[in-house]
Structure formats: structure tokens, C-alpha cells
Amino acid sequence: MISDGFIQSSIRKQQQIVTKLQRFNMTWFPKLAVLLAASLVLFIVFFIWRDSELDAFTDIGLDDDLSQVAGELTSDKLLGGLLAPNFTRRSCLSRYQSISYRKSSRHEPSSYLVSRLREYERLHKRCGPYAESYKKSIKEMVSGRIDSSSACRVLLIYEEADMANVFCEPFPDTTWLLPKDFPFNYRLSRFKQKYAKSFGNTLKSNNNKISASTEQLPSHLYLYLSHDYSHHDKLFFCDQDQIVLRNIPWLIIKSDVYFLPSLFLMPSFEEELSKLFPDKETVFHHLGRYLFHPSNQVWTLITSYYKKYLAEAEERIGIQIRIFDKKTSPFQQVMDQILTCTFKEKLLPQVDMGKSIVAPSGKGKSKAVLLTSLIPSYYEKLKDMYLKHPTLNGEVINVYQPSHEEKQRSTNNVHNQKALAEINLLSMMDVLVTSAWSTFGYVAQGLAGKKPLILYKIEDKKIPNPVCGRAVSLEPCFHSPPIYDCKAKREVDTATIVPYLRHCEDIHWGIKLFNST
């Protein structure tokens, strides 16, 4: 039993972390980037919560008529086996074309991951929306009756209007979108931390216990795993309740964080995760490229921009700028930080401010700089510098910014399409410079499979020293990890429990995955 004193102490410490995060309101984090990070982790949860019946499908190979299709697609286009070959190419051009715009990955997926993905695809087709098992499960949920013989556990995504036509479907011959006639659709957008029937609040009101009796289990349960979750919500990361959760047919989960690192601390997940991802820094890299393919509409934005502005450059540099607070991070300090970092790392050349360019020489190495930011001022300053003054080493620098929305418009569909386009364009660059704390940057580096230079966060108008540093791991940072050791039943720094889990380079209280060697 956990003591009340411990709970209160843990709540206070977690509230301190939440307060720090709320200084940079989560609505300031791009909705699309947050969706990518959170839904990937949820996919892993359901992927591992697979049924025993899934093994019955392991002997089912590709349909005979798919073998010819697979032969036409090279291993590169299938990303080393991550992608299934049985999609109509016209339905999602980006799925098999993205390799033509990104350099081939140095990171090969494990054969175990590839085989499990094919199994999951077959399970999702059998259990997903409009299948007979789905219809049966919906009836049981509405009636409150649980059929223990049911053997389906798949991930469905609640798609709001602002995310329509942004992504392709990730699984063959089915959908992962929750149907519009789902019985509780009207409740989903209103589900918040204080919802009385959530997992955390149920534990809180029942002395940290949920009955394991099948007769007493609910037909559905809400799990709140967002940045402001409570101590009791975080008990999800303790194995003691995982058996109970796996027996509840419908779990409705809300999350806006990349909580994958904490799954590696759970015995019920760790063994399988280690088999799927022996290279622990590549979870997002592999599954991000597997799940998130831009729709044809977004892909057209990406490829047309790339061909027009970026394709001819000898080197492409991506700079992603995220400002959380203009008062503590004034324009000039941020601009100075960007220049200091890129000059020091020899990504960009310095210019002779005493001379003006009369006519472009066109003789030096050409570099294209893709700058993404809500604010146009950084682009304008950098572009003018290289447009008006010659570089000291003769390089020719062209600076581009696809959009400058000036403020976050996460409920706007066109804004989200542009955001996905810019994330993908960043992932196609040869070198990346990203902003600390930024989910947008995390997603771009994960898709690219590149370790960026991180612009450390400016605090109180003071440029940090050093101004930037190379990321050690490809993985995103989990900004709000739990601080409870379920085995020891005490507070603990979860970055010290296993060698491959450490604090993030950009947020000292966050945790992320590293290769332990």
C-alpha cells in the first residue's frame, strides 16, 4: 500500500514539473507534432497488448498476387521491410516516394519488428472499423457486457476536422480512424484530467485498486496520459494494473506526450520492446516512417517546394526555430544564437559586412537554408545578410522559408497541412539545427534519422553557453515523466534506473532513450 504521505509528496513534485510546462502552455506546441509523437507511442502500447490469438496469424503469408508487387519495389522503397508492398501507389504517393527525397537510413529495422508489423496489419484488418468483430464489440460496449472470448486489440485514432486529409492510412485494406458513429464520439473532445470515470480517478476513489474480476470490469475505461496528468494517472506505468487494463475491451486514451521511455521501465513491456528495437534510439525513426505518410495533397506541397527551391543545392541545411516566450527570448538574442552556432559549427559562412554584392558570382559551393518558424523576422534577417554581403569563403547561400503563420493555428486544417509539409522538408535536409523543447524538431529529426544541433533555450534574455550542442540520441524527449519506482514504492529519478534511460539534452527533468553503449 502506498502511504498518503508519499502520495502528497509525489503530487507536490509532479506539480512543480507541471508548473514549469505550463509556463510554456501545451497549446503552444504544434498540435500536429504532438499528435505524431503521442499516437506513435499509443500504437506501441496496443501493438504489445496484442492478443494470444494473434499468433494464429503468423503462418499467413502475403497473398500470392502481392509477390509480384513486392518484387517491383526495392528494399529501399520499402524502408528495409518496414512498409508493406500491398498498397495502391496512387492512393498514397509519399509512401514509396519518400526515399527519393531522404537519404537512405543507416538504421535497419529488426526482422522481428518487420514480422510483427505484418502480423498487426492482418489483425487490424480483421478487427478494425466495419469488420464483424468491431461491430460486435461496439454492441457489447453499449450494453456494458464483456465477452472474454473476444480477441481484438487495435489502435483507432479520433480524427478532428482540423486533421482531415493530412495523412494517408498506415495499414493495408482498412482504416485506423474511429468511425463517426462511434457511440461516445461526443464525449471524446471533452475528456479531461478531472473526468470522474478515468483510470486515475477510479484508483483514487478506490484506495489505488481496480477489481480484476471480469464480472466487475467496465466495458470501457478512460486513460488520461497528458502532460498535466495526476499521480494516480501515472500509476498506469506500474505493472500491477496492466493485467486488468488488458482485459478491458475499450480503452479511450488521451495523450500529448511521448511517454515511450517509461514503458521501458515496465517488465510487461520491456522484454518485447527490446526485441522489437535492439537499437533503442531508433523507435521513432522506424515507426514514424512506418505510420506517418503525408496525404497526396500534402505530398504535392512538399515535392513541389523541394524541386523548386532545394533540389539544386549542393548542401541543404534545415534550421527550425521555436519561440515559447518572446519576453525571455528576444529576437536579437535568438538571432545572435543562431549565427554563433552555425558559424562555430561551420554550417554557414560568415560574411564581409563591409562589402556589398553587386552581382552573384555563382562560383562557390551552393547551400540552401530551409528555415521554419512562425515568425518571418529570422528568415528576413538571414536572407538579407547573404543577399547583400559576400561570404568570406565564397559559398553561395540561399535562404528559404515555406510559410510564416506568425501564430499557432492548430485548429486550422490548412495550417496543419503546412506544418506536416515543413516537418517533412526539414527531414530531407542534410544537416539539422533544432530548438530545445520543440516537438516539431523532435519529429523532424526522428523521420530524418539525424542527430541535430540543438539550440539551447534562452532564459531571462541570456544566451546560453554553449549556445548549442549535438544531440546524443535520435529519440524525442519525454517532458513529464513519472517519478515513482513501482517496485521500490518510493520516489526516484527514473533516468537512473537503467543505463539506456537518461535525462534529455535540452530539458534537465525530461527523460529519453539512449543506446547504453
Side-chain angles (χ1 to χ4, degrees), residues 75 78-84 107 109-110 113-114 117-118 121 285-287 289-290:
S75 176
L78 295 175
L79 305 183
L82 278 178
L83 305 182
H107 309 282
S110 69
L113 171 62
V114 170
L117 288 174
R118 298 295 87 81
E121 288 163 1
H285 178 56
H286 291 320
L287 291 187
R289 294 179 303 147
Y290 170 75

Side-chain angles (χ1 to χ4, degrees), residues 250-292:
W250 284 88
L251 293 173
I252 301 170
I253 306 176
K254 186 171 185 176
S255 180
D256 61 7
V257 292
Y258 187 73
F259 61 82
L260 174 71
S262 287
L263 297 183
F264 273 86
L265 295 176
M266 302 170 65
S268 59
F269 282 88
E270 192 277 333
E271 181 179 356
E272 181 72 2
L273 283 169
S274 294
K275 289 168 64 178
L276 292 166
F277 304 103
D279 183 350
K280 292 179 174 61
E281 292 185 10
T282 61
V283 181
F284 192 96
H285 178 56
H286 291 320
L287 291 187
R289 294 179 303 147
Y290 170 75
L291 289 171
F292 306 126

Side-chain angles (χ1 to χ4, degrees), residues 163-352:
M163 298 305 298
N165 199 30
V166 175
F167 298 101
C168 299
E169 291 282 359
F171 312 126
D173 305 318
T174 185
T175 180
W176 73 337
L177 299 180
L178 193 67
K180 301 299 183 186
D181 60 356
F182 180 72
F184 301 141
N185 259 348
Y186 68 98
R187 294 185 191 171
L188 297 182
S189 61
R190 298 190 305 221
F191 171 40
K192 293 181 172 58
Q193 194 277 326
K194 294 183 179 180
Y195 184 73
K197 295 183 180 179
S198 70
F199 167 74
N201 288 321
T202 300
L203 285 178
K204 185 176 181 180
S205 59
N206 289 282
N207 295 317
N208 299 309
K209 293 181 180 179
I210 292 182
S211 173
S213 169
T214 304
E215 292 77 15
Q216 297 182 38
L217 286 177
S219 61
H220 65 282
L221 184 66
Y222 289 86
L223 288 167
Y224 189 84
L225 299 175
S226 289
H227 71 282
D228 58 344
Y229 56 169
S230 71
H231 167 78
H232 289 91
D233 293 320
K234 290 171 186 169
L235 295 180
F236 166 83
F237 297 110
C238 293
D239 262 333
Q240 63 198 39
D241 290 316
Q242 287 300 309
I243 295 175
V244 175
L245 291 175
R246 292 183 191 213
N247 287 328
I248 297 174
W250 284 88
L251 293 173
I252 301 170
I253 306 176
K254 186 171 185 176
S255 180
D256 61 7
V257 292
Y258 187 73
F259 61 82
L260 174 71
S262 287
L263 297 183
F264 273 86
L265 295 176
M266 302 170 65
S268 59
F269 282 88
E270 192 277 333
E271 181 179 356
E272 181 72 2
L273 283 169
S274 294
K275 289 168 64 178
L276 292 166
F277 304 103
D279 183 350
K280 292 179 174 61
E281 292 185 10
T282 61
V283 181
F284 192 96
H285 178 56
H286 291 320
L287 291 187
R289 294 179 303 147
Y290 170 75
L291 289 171
F292 306 126
H293 305 284
S295 67
N296 286 351
Q297 185 172 334
V298 177
W299 188 241
T300 299
L301 292 175
I302 295 167
T303 54
S304 59
Y305 194 91
Y306 184 94
K307 291 172 183 176
K308 184 174 182 179
Y309 298 109
L310 306 169
E312 299 302 319
E314 294 175 73
E315 184 177 4
R316 288 166 284 274
I317 300 166
I319 301 178
Q320 179 260 336
I321 303 170
R322 188 72 171 110
I323 305 300
F324 294 98
D325 190 336
K326 292 181 181 179
K327 293 181 180 179
T328 59
S329 302
F331 168 79
Q332 193 55 53
Q333 276 88 335
V334 176
M335 193 72 229
D336 290 344
Q337 182 186 26
I338 295 167
L339 293 177
T340 302
C341 177
T342 53
F343 291 163
K344 178 186 175 183
E345 298 294 331
K346 302 189 184 307
L347 299 183
L348 293 176
Q350 297 188 50
V351 299
D352 187 341

Side-chain angles (χ1 to χ4, degrees), residues 35 49 56 102 135 154 167 320 341 374 407 441 444 457 515:
L35 171 68
W49 272 350
R102 294 191 192 113
K135 296 174 184 177
V154 295
F167 298 101
Q320 179 260 336
C341 177
L374 292 172
K407 65 179 182 179
K457 194 170 181 306
N515 286 326

Side-chain angles (χ1 to χ4, degrees), residues 62-74 85 89:
L62 290 172
D63 296 339
D64 291 338
D65 62 340
L66 295 180
S67 58
Q68 183 178 355
V69 178
E72 295 171 359
L73 293 168
T74 64
R89 298 188 207 184

